[in-house]
Amino acid sequence: MEAFGGGVEIADRAVGLQPTFLTLAAVYLVVIAMGAFCIRLPHPDWAPSGAPRVGKKPSKVAIVGANVSAANAIRTPQFWCLWVILFCNITAGIGILENAAPMVQDYFPSLSAAAAAGFVGLLSLSNMGGRFIWSSASDVIGRKNIYMVYLGAGLIFYFLLASAGHTSLALFVVSALILLTFYGGGFATIPAYLRDLFGVYQVGAIHGRLLTAWSAAGVVGPLIINMVVERQASRGHEGPQLYQLSLYIMCVLLAVGLVANVLVRPVDRKWFEDPATVQAKVDADRVSAVGTQTASPARSEGAAHAVAAAILAAVIVALLVYGLWETAVKASQMFAG
């Protein structure tokens, strides 16, 4: 919309869109292409040091030897419970991301645009950090328990944001950052939750079907926020009042997701695949993987992959350091003075 009229100020901002998109396109081209070039499947017998042993006690919802096809998975109540869980968790995260910069400025009008941009950067870092921290925690306390944290604690922090966020900038920022860690953690943990319930037989296909919840949340979340903001503005409200109702709606959604998580139970054995069918697929995958790796790559190809991996790592680290620095500089303006 900024690129097609709307006044001088908007036109000035639109000038920077083209170089921004071109820069992003170039970065994505390099990083994605080099990443695809570097990817190699490990040998079927390989396992990282510290990997869990076969006899390790499974989670409460996991059944050793459970393998469910994608066609059968979507017929189980567990799949739809996870669909609701992911939908509610993602919608809640989008509830903040959708209007992060204008929201923090409406709550605290004294903040500059640069400081608001720093807040958005902090949200992105929290999103990234949550994927590491909470997914790792789920290996210790279990997937179902970690989603109780995402949804239960998320409800509490959303309520704090709606009811008292306007009283303190620190409270607003900390609550929003914690909620975004739950958003990222929910994305990172869901594949393992699926594996616990449905096994590894067709877990990739099941994950693809479950991501329709993400697509739906990407539509519903912004609709809720924007409809409420526009309705509140039409009634003459301003500042925090523009967003409080939508934040309370997010609390309700998280409560629904929490109930869905409580209802998750182990999958009934009637949905399991025949072990012989599963083993046949495992054997076929193993033969294919071993056959591919039997033909040793040329030494020059191995060197090319090493160089590409080193360049890719350098590019990612450089971009991350730059992002961290810019975020720190801009976010510091929120509390300056």
Side-chain angles (χ1 to χ4, degrees):
M1 293 177 65
E2 290 184 352
F4 298 96
V8 177
E9 181 181 352
I10 293 178
D12 289 341
R13 290 207 308 266
V15 172
L17 291 177
Q18 183 177 10
T20 298
F21 282 123
L22 289 175
T23 301
L24 289 174
V27 172
Y28 292 158
L29 175 64
V30 172
V31 172
I32 294 175
M34 294 184 69
F37 179 73
C38 293
I39 289 176
R40 288 293 181 269
L41 291 175
H43 191 278
D45 295 331
W46 180 86
S49 59
R53 297 179 180 178
V54 176
K56 184 178 180 180
K57 184 179 178 181
S59 69
K60 294 181 180 180
V61 296
I63 300 178
V64 176
N67 283 287
V68 183
S69 68
N72 281 335
I74 62 174
R75 299 166 63 188
T76 66
Q78 287 82 359
F79 176 87
W80 294 107
C81 281
L82 291 189
W83 196 98
V84 171
I85 290 167
L86 187 63
F87 171 81
C88 293
N89 188 60
I90 299 308
T91 303
I94 292 175
I96 293 178
L97 283 175
E98 167 65 13
N99 280 307
M103 182 187 293
V104 73
Q105 288 183 292
D106 284 332
Y107 267 72
F108 304 97
S110 61
L111 289 182
S112 66
F119 173 66
V120 175
L122 288 177
L123 293 179
S124 297
L125 293 177
S126 297
N127 181 7
M128 178 180 68
R131 295 170 189 252
F132 288 99
I133 296 170
W134 296 120
S135 61
S136 299
S138 75
D139 289 335
V140 179
I141 68 174
R143 323 302 174 199
K144 187 171 182 176
N145 290 335
I146 202 68
Y147 273 93
M148 297 297 285
V149 174
Y150 298 155
L151 300 162
L155 192 159
I156 294 172
F157 280 105
Y158 245 116
F159 184 81
L160 283 174
L161 202 62
S163 60
H166 62 284
T167 63
S168 167
L169 177 59
L171 176 63
F172 181 94
V173 171
V174 170
S175 297
L177 294 183
I178 292 174
L179 286 167
L180 261 292
T181 67
F182 294 158
Y183 171 79
F187 261 124
T189 313
I190 202 67
Y193 208 166
L194 288 172
R195 186 255 178 251
D196 287 348
L197 288 167
F198 302 109
V200 298
Y201 177 55
Q202 291 186 346
V203 70
I206 298 171
H207 187 220
R209 287 156 174 77
L210 190 72
L211 286 182
T212 56
W214 175 29
S215 303
V219 174
V220 174
L223 280 177
I224 293 175
I225 300 298
N226 292 328
M227 287 175 60
V228 170
V229 169
E230 291 174 6
R231 185 178 180 84
Q232 297 295 79
S234 68
R235 293 180 173 181
H237 296 304
E238 58 184 16
Q241 293 179 329
L242 293 173
Y243 304 94
Q244 285 174 326
L245 177 58
S246 60
L247 296 180
Y248 284 126
I249 293 174
M250 295 304 164
C251 290
V252 175
L253 279 174
L254 287 172
V256 172
L258 188 64
V259 172
N261 192 52
V262 170
L263 294 176
V264 173
R265 297 290 186 272
V267 177
D268 194 297
R269 291 183 180 274
K270 71 179 181 179
W271 300 113
F272 291 6
E273 285 296 302
D274 180 8
T277 302
V278 176
Q279 188 59 47
K281 181 180 182 301
V282 171
D283 293 340
D285 291 344
R286 178 183 176 81
V287 169
S288 176
V290 172
T292 301
Q293 296 175 12
T294 299
S296 300
R299 183 172 300 178
S300 59
E301 183 180 349
H305 280 91
V307 172
I311 295 175
L312 180 62
V315 170
I316 292 174
V317 170
L319 291 173
L320 185 58
V321 170
Y322 174 77
L324 288 170
W325 173 256
E326 287 294 312
T327 298
V329 170
K330 292 178 180 178
S332 65
Q333 298 180 29
M334 289 193 292
F335 302 99

